[in-house]
Amino acid sequence: RQSGGTSGPRVNLFGSGVILQQVLQAAGVLEDEYGVAADVWSVTSYGELRRDALDSERQARLVPDKPAPQSWLDRQLTDVAEDVPVIAVTDSMKAVADQIGRFVRQPWAVLGTDGFGRSDTRENLRSFFEIDASSIVYTALVELARMGKFPTDRVIAAREALGINADRLDPAGSQP
């Protein structure tokens, strides 16, 4: 986990594997261009986090007369305010990161590679699936705006500056 230092709005960015480079790049843009601090989390396995959370949930169900055990994810997010959004980014289908969504008490958004890619380079593929740094920045700003923590007019300006095409077809529904 790497903490940003800005005192303004704050987001949590989850990334795994090679997509972590895009997440780190997005964190820098958020801080430098928009005054948004980003705590970056390296997620080594969404599946393991889910198994552990399910185990904690099961233990709480089986032994209701004792305090519910905290999952590893809960312990990590204990000090994270419940009004600080989490944007999880994966270069797999969104369902991979969404495995843990119900265990995260903060506002939750997921970016992933649902659909059929038709790109010649990794950079183009990330752009096509909206998991590149620009898309991560934009999603973080949108989530903050939804919570009243970032002005909507600045989100619209950022959309243009970041090259986000609001009229583009959803990659999940695009056919090869």
Side-chain angles (χ1 to χ4, degrees):
R1 176 176 172 198
Q2 168 192 336
S3 296
T6 302
S7 63
R10 185 169 220 90
V11 297
N12 291 286
L13 303 176
F14 284 19
S16 58
V18 296
I19 207 66
L20 193 56
Q21 293 303 315
Q22 298 298 309
V23 171
L24 289 167
Q25 186 178 343
V29 172
L30 282 165
E31 188 163 359
D32 296 344
E33 302 295 322
Y34 300 100
V36 173
D39 290 327
V40 175
W41 302 72
S42 176
V43 179
T44 55
S45 174
Y46 286 105
E48 285 299 317
L49 289 174
R50 177 179 172 77
R51 280 187 280 283
D52 180 65
L54 287 171
D55 183 57
S56 294
E57 190 176 76
R58 178 178 177 270
Q59 291 301 316
R61 182 177 60 248
L62 293 174
V63 190
D65 56 330
K66 296 206 168 140
Q70 271 194 315
S71 70
W72 190 87
L73 182 62
D74 274 341
R75 288 191 305 274
Q76 300 312 303
L77 294 174
T78 294
D79 294 333
V80 175
E82 289 191 25
D83 65 343
V84 177
V86 175
I87 292 82
V89 188
T90 178
D91 55 0
S92 298
M93 293 177 62
K94 291 176 186 175
V96 170
D98 248 347
Q99 294 180 80
I100 66 167
R102 75 180 184 101
F103 302 108
V104 175
R105 66 188 187 287
Q106 290 79 6
W108 178 255
V110 177
L111 300 177
T113 59
D114 295 20
F116 298 95
R118 302 180 293 256
S119 305
D120 56 344
T121 66
R122 286 187 177 167
E123 180 179 306
N124 288 340
L125 187 72
R126 289 182 183 123
S127 175
F128 177 81
F129 283 118
E130 301 169 349
I131 60 169
D132 58 343
S134 292
S135 296
I136 298 166
V137 168
Y138 183 68
T139 300
L141 296 177
V142 167
E143 292 303 312
L144 288 168
R146 285 183 179 155
M147 300 173 69
K149 294 181 168 204
F150 197 83
T152 303
D153 60 330
R154 287 196 65 204
V155 174
I156 301 304
R159 183 177 67 200
E160 186 174 318
L162 294 165
I164 305 294
N165 180 355
D167 297 323
R168 196 178 133 221
L169 290 177
D170 183 348
S174 299
Q175 297 297 316

